[in-house]
């Protein structure tokens, strides 16, 4: 009886583990790490990174840019840029935060997630 229970637990772990593996293969990273269309930028928080590479976001001084942060992760993330006065607060799974990058703040501004030290990048306005 106990052996059966152990076997079921082990099989469950293997099944869930392999599904994770397949999911990872299906979600292959795209070449372009910045999802930019027109005047908007999409940053996806997943696997403890923004768009996998924490990309530098370039914004032209004359072009106000819409910024969307989307949490596709199983853990909470946030998005903060003190230089730009942005703070999304907690984003739970599938929650997004829509804001704008004020294009008159010329220079380099750091952005980061306060939960994960590896999640940080730069926004360059000029
Ligand atoms: Cu985070």
């Amino acid at each position: 009886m106990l052996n059966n229970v152990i076997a079921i637990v082990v099989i469950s772990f293997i099944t869930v583990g392999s599904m994770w593996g397949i999911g990872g293969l299906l979600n292959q990273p795209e070449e372009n790490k910045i999802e930019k269309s027109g005047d908007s930028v999409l940053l996806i928080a997943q696997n403890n990174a923004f768009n996998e590479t924490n990309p530098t976001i370039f914004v032209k001084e004359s072009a106000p840019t819409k910024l969307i942060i989307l949490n596709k992760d199983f853990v909470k993330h946030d998005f903060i840029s003190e230089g730009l006065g942005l703070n999304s607060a907690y984003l739970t799974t599938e929650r997004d935060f829509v804001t704008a990058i004020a294009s008159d703040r010329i220079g380099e501004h750091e952005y980061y997630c306060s939960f994960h030290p590896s999640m940080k990048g730069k926004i360059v306005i000029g």
Side-chain angles (χ1 to χ4, degrees):
M1 180 60 191
L2 185 59
N3 280 347
N4 285 347
V5 171
I6 290 170
I8 289 168
V9 170
V10 168
I11 288 166
S12 303
F13 271 103
I14 291 169
T15 306
V16 171
S18 58
M19 284 166 72
W20 271 79
I22 291 165
L25 289 175
L26 293 176
N27 293 312
Q28 284 291 331
E30 290 163 38
E31 281 302 308
N32 183 7
K33 301 302 182 197
I34 299 181
E35 298 286 335
K36 193 161 186 182
S37 63
D39 59 354
S40 71
V41 170
L42 173 62
L43 278 184
I44 295 174
Q46 196 167 30
N47 300 324
N48 288 348
F50 290 107
N51 291 9
E52 301 179 29
T53 59
N54 300 310
T56 300
I57 298 166
F58 294 92
V59 173
K60 288 210 176 81
E61 182 195 352
S62 57
T65 298
K66 185 172 156 188
L67 177 64
I68 305 144
I69 294 104
L70 173 62
N71 184 3
K72 282 278 189 185
D73 223 333
F74 298 100
V75 296
K76 269 189 287 196
H77 293 288
D78 61 10
F79 177 91
I80 296 168
S81 174
E82 280 148 18
L84 293 171
L86 304 177
N87 188 334
S88 70
Y90 299 166
L91 296 173
T92 52
T93 303
E94 296 294 336
R95 289 293 300 272
D96 65 7
F97 176 72
V98 180
T99 186
I101 299 169
S103 59
D104 59 342
R105 298 201 183 186
I106 292 168
E108 285 191 11
H109 305 280
E110 193 174 78
Y111 68 80
Y112 63 91
C113 166
S114 67
F115 301 107
H116 306 101
S118 65
M119 296 177 72
K120 62 178 178 191
K122 275 189 280 190
I123 296 172
V124 180
I125 302 171

